Amino acid sequence: MNDTRETLMFAAERAIEFLEGLDRRPVGAIADGDELRARFEQRLPDAGAGARRAVERLVAAVDGGLLGMPSGRFFAWVIGGALPSALAADWLTSAWGQNAAMFASSPAASIAEDVAGAWLKELLLLPSTASFAFVTGCQMAHVTCLAAARNALLRARGWDVETRGLSGAPHVAIVSSDRRHASLEKAVRLLGFGTDSVHYVEPTEREVLAPEALDAALRGIDGPAIVALQAGDINTGAFDDFRTVVPIAKKYGAWVHVDGAFGLWAAASPRHRHLVDGIELADSWATDGHKYLSVPFDCGYAFVRDAAAHRAAMSVSAPYIAADASRRDEIDWNPEWSRRARGFATYAALVELGRAGVADLVVRTCRYANEIVTALGALPETEVLWQPILNQGLVRFVDDRRTEATIERVVASGEAFFAPTTWRGMRAMRVSVLNWRTTQADVRRAVAAVAAALEREAVEVRA
Ligand SMILES: Cc1ncc(COP(=O)(O)O)c(C=O)c1O
């Protein structure tokens, strides 16, 4: 049975319909979980249905159960939407079916990644000599960077962690603001440091690490340490003051890691570059491609100043891998073995946008985030908790219950999608704008949806 062409054409048509319908469909899911499960949960077929029928069935099963995440009115979590070039490159990546583990297994994939990695360092103002890895997301970028940190810090104390493991090794402490993203802790767990190794430091009113508190925490640590800083806090988008705090960490010989999942991209915008001033002094940086750069999911980047430590933490040798020192084998830098050729989509996105396009994307999303938060602040019973300094803001409606209820109403309206968070002990609505599709009209529609939800909420409260 060869229905490849027909199946792929069918899938392409459905994909295009989905994207072109984003403005007409509700942004949230409309099918309930039981209904979706009933559609999926059928008997495992004895006889295969064939390719086209299988895809038809999948498309029918998901109906109403997908969020409009690529919509310009999706403001929950930190979600971008794939650029046309990156989406197309991602389709081709699947069709080309390259195993991007080594140069030998796909020369084009290896070179695309090599060139895109160099471009990213240039765009994000990172040292040109830093090594890099294209991983699944910022989560695995943390793991990759901290594995390099573990290697370097312990090697400096005469301990080869790659051969001896962590049992009996000098204890590595981690210092972080207590606003860190939870993915940092997951990386700490996966690498065997354990979360008890993390020393949390209270942030200042500006939501950044206080230099004196960092100094005091490091003074109390006897042994190797990693300082985890933030370029873009998940709730507030706050940036640590790198120029001041990195030298403090260095005074104690600590490795400095930066979580810049979305905030690192401020470097690409001349208007926002001041936020990352001094970030190049750090030792490792983790960020995402599937956030600001707008490539499909499954794309993050790790950058490491000490390339030797990075390579030592990830490199492998096996009898069937023919290493060629003049080529870049991705397997030497990544946690995975067989892997997707992520460089193609990144390369395409960078070519589509260029420096100017990335800068414009950052500027536009930050402007819209500010406009939404300002307009919401003018509505009755709405308090602005955090005016965006980048693309993240926080608002609250009267109290925790009304905040939750208002968000639920907005989502139920299908007009826009926001999600709640807890910040300084209060429930709040996060406003996160990251999508290249968002327009001024989307901003107006989202604000109108919140205004309408507040009105209905007020009527109910009075009744
Ligand atoms: C600040 C921050 N760090 C890390 C992550 C984890 O990134 P990923 O989901 O791409 O692994 C996120 C995700 O939203 C984030 O916002």
Side-chain angles (χ1 to χ4, degrees):
M1 200 181 332
N2 184 1
D3 45 5
T4 302
R5 166 172 287 274
E6 203 196 334
T7 306
L8 293 184
M9 294 305 287
F10 173 79
E13 287 294 337
R14 297 295 82 73
I16 293 163
E17 269 170 18
F18 175 79
L19 294 174
E20 289 182 346
L22 285 170
D23 266 352
R24 296 187 296 275
R25 283 194 315 275
V27 188
I30 48 173
D32 79 36
D34 291 342
E35 182 185 343
L36 285 167
R37 180 164 283 279
R39 280 193 231 142
F40 276 100
E41 214 171 45
Q42 295 181 14
R43 207 170 48 80
L44 172 67
D46 291 326
R52 159 87 190 236
R53 291 286 303 279
V55 178
E56 273 174 7
R57 198 159 129 185
L58 176 66
V59 171
V62 302
D63 192 34
L66 300 174
L67 301 188
M69 278 197 176
S71 153
R73 282 167 291 114
F74 195 93
F75 306 114
W77 305 298
V78 190
I79 303 288
L83 290 162
S85 68
L87 177 57
D90 193 63
W91 287 357
L92 289 168
T93 301
S94 292
W96 292 335
Q98 306 291 290
N99 183 347
M102 297 170 283
F103 183 87
S105 63
S106 182
S110 167
I111 292 170
E113 206 167 296
D114 206 3
V115 170
W119 284 357
L120 288 171
K121 285 186 281 179
E122 210 179 311
L123 192 63
L124 301 174
L125 309 180
L126 300 178
S128 61
T129 50
S131 54
F132 61 86
F134 282 41
V135 290
T136 50
C138 195
Q139 173 68 76
M140 286 312 289
H142 287 327
V143 170
T144 306
C145 290
L146 297 189
R150 187 177 66 168
N151 179 287
L153 289 171
L154 293 179
R155 183 166 29 90
R157 282 154 184 85
W159 187 275
D160 180 354
V161 72
E162 310 307 327
T163 54
R164 302 177 73 182
L166 274 182
S167 179
H171 177 75
V172 179
I174 294 121
V175 182
S176 146
S177 149
D178 74 356
R179 297 285 195 265
R180 85 282 160 226
H181 190 268
S183 56
L184 180 84
E185 267 154 21
K186 194 164 178 178
V188 161
R189 282 163 47 204
L190 288 173
L191 289 165
F193 294 130
T195 48
D196 282 354
S197 305
V198 187
H199 300 238
Y200 294 112
V201 178
E202 267 280 311
T204 65
E205 270 299 295
R206 285 174 43 235
E207 296 288 302
V208 299
L209 208 56
E212 316 74 50
L214 175 64
D215 200 304
L218 287 169
R219 211 176 316 125
I221 292 169
D222 180 23
I226 296 170
V227 173
L229 301 179
Q230 291 214 97
D233 171 80
I234 183 80
N235 284 321
T236 60
F239 288 72
D240 283 317
D241 180 357
F242 304 107
R243 181 82 48 208
T244 307
V245 293
V246 178
I248 295 173
K250 292 282 156 200
K251 190 174 77 181
Y252 292 95
W255 175 289
V256 180
H257 173 66
V258 179
D259 179 347
F262 57 91
L264 200 54
W265 295 82
S269 157
R271 197 177 301 172
H272 298 92
R273 202 162 277 164
H274 63 280
L275 294 169
V276 293
D277 179 46
I279 205 166
E280 70 285 356
L281 304 172
D283 296 293
S284 58
W285 306 262
T287 189
D288 267 316
H290 56 222
K291 288 192 169 68
Y292 256 126
L293 190 58
S294 315
V295 304
F297 279 108
D298 255 33
C299 189
Y301 313 115
F303 301 94
V304 182
R305 178 186 299 283
D306 182 344
H310 180 184
R311 190 184 180 120
M314 293 295 150
S315 185
V316 288
S317 67
Y320 66 95
I321 297 178
D324 174 346
S326 67
R327 308 296 194 187
R328 185 176 190 274
D329 285 329
E330 299 93 314
I331 201 168
D332 286 332
W333 309 99
N334 287 282
E336 308 108 331
W337 198 286
S338 296
R339 59 189 284 279
R340 186 169 185 76
R342 298 193 184 97
F344 292 138
T346 296
Y347 182 85
L350 289 170
V351 173
E352 177 179 338
L353 293 178
R355 276 181 206 280
V358 178
D360 178 59
L361 181 54
V362 175
V363 169
R364 253 185 309 132
T365 50
C366 295
R367 192 174 69 233
Y368 291 150
N370 264 290
E371 285 178 10
I372 294 175
V373 170
T374 303
L376 294 182
L379 296 175
E381 308 196 305
T382 307
E383 181 190 356
V384 173
L385 295 180
W386 192 272
Q387 190 75 34
I389 48 177
L390 191 71
N391 64 331
Q392 315 279 318
L394 296 172
V395 295
R396 174 172 163 88
F397 310 106
V398 186
D399 56 24
D400 287 359
R401 197 203 62 75
R402 295 277 292 279
T403 299
E404 298 270 2
T406 305
I407 297 170
E408 275 170 29
R409 276 182 198 275
V410 174
V411 171
S413 76
E415 282 292 285
F417 200 107
F418 294 95
T421 188
T422 300
W423 185 71
R424 296 187 181 168
M426 292 174 283
R427 293 300 273 164
M429 183 175 94
R430 292 182 61 251
V431 176
S432 172
V433 187
L434 197 83
N435 194 313
W436 64 272
R437 274 196 183 81
T438 301
T439 61
Q440 201 76 55
D442 288 319
V443 169
R444 281 195 296 271
R445 233 172 121 176
V447 172
V450 177
L454 280 171
E455 263 170 41
R456 284 196 303 276
E457 189 65 22
V459 169
E460 259 184 33
V461 168
R462 278 196 299 272

